[in-house]
Amino acid sequence: MDPRWIVIVLANALLAFLGGQINHYLAHLPISVFLLGLCLPVAGLRLRLRTGLIAMFLSGLFVDAARPVPFGSTALLLAALFTCWHAVRSRLPRDGVAPVVVGALVANLILFLAQPFLLGAPLAGSATWGRLVVDLLCSQVVVALLAPWFLALQEQALLLRGVNLAEEVREPGGAL
């Protein structure tokens, strides 16, 4: 049994918890942060299709359980984004922090913009758009700052389970 999906799901659960805590502390300000884009880069760049789909779908279900969205909608969205990422990843660099940060920012933007549609909330009024822009900018800054830490966390957790993704990426004709 491949332990990768378990490690990724647990790391994503930790990320969802930390995101909730950050938003709890920001509750007195008119700001919230959205960190779901951090769930995708390691899975999208370094996991096989089946393992990554399992990890993303279960991570999405975990996130959906704590949010006022139709259950399974975030899971389907994460699985779809992972599938798209997996399809083009052969043309993307896999080593280093930069692909993870850029990938997390792009994924976070897409997921952030999809949220109003999942919630079924109409977007009317300049106050709503202004709040969305501020939340998006704050979220992107936090994602960019947390991406290197989250990458290291996932890689170290995988190393504890005996999986060295850095070596697999470098192997010619590697398992990825």
Side-chain angles (χ1 to χ4, degrees):
M1 184 67 143
D2 191 5
R4 298 163 199 227
W5 68 270
I6 297 168
V7 172
I8 298 298
V9 169
L10 291 175
N12 290 343
L14 175 65
L15 178 70
F17 173 76
L18 292 176
Q21 291 301 308
I22 291 170
N23 284 326
H24 174 74
Y25 288 114
L26 292 174
H28 67 283
L29 300 172
I31 298 171
S32 65
V33 293
F34 184 80
L35 307 176
L36 196 56
L38 283 170
C39 293
L40 280 160
V42 170
L45 289 172
R46 300 190 179 154
L47 295 184
R48 292 183 183 102
L49 181 63
R50 182 175 179 221
T51 306
L53 279 174
I54 291 170
M56 290 301 97
F57 194 77
L58 290 176
S59 296
L61 290 178
F62 182 83
V63 169
D64 282 345
R67 298 184 56 219
V69 296
F71 192 69
S73 59
T74 304
L76 291 174
L77 190 56
L78 281 175
L81 280 174
F82 171 79
T83 304
C84 293
W85 197 326
H86 193 273
V88 299
R89 78 177 185 172
S90 63
R91 292 172 270 199
L92 301 173
R94 295 189 203 179
D95 274 341
V97 176
V100 172
V101 172
V102 171
L105 289 171
V106 170
N108 204 59
L109 175 67
I110 292 168
L111 291 166
F112 183 89
L113 294 176
Q115 292 310 299
F117 299 108
L118 291 179
L119 293 171
L123 295 177
S126 61
T128 303
W129 284 106
R131 170 75 191 262
L132 285 175
V133 169
V134 169
D135 285 353
L136 176 61
L137 291 174
C138 291
S139 297
Q140 295 296 74
V141 168
V142 172
V143 164
L145 292 173
L146 288 181
W149 168 79
F150 196 61
L151 168 67
L153 174 83
Q154 288 179 320
E155 287 183 342
Q156 289 301 313
L158 285 166
L159 274 175
L160 288 173
R161 294 292 302 151
V163 177
N164 190 348
L165 293 177
E167 284 184 15
E168 289 180 4
V169 169
R170 288 181 186 87
E171 291 176 8
L176 300 177

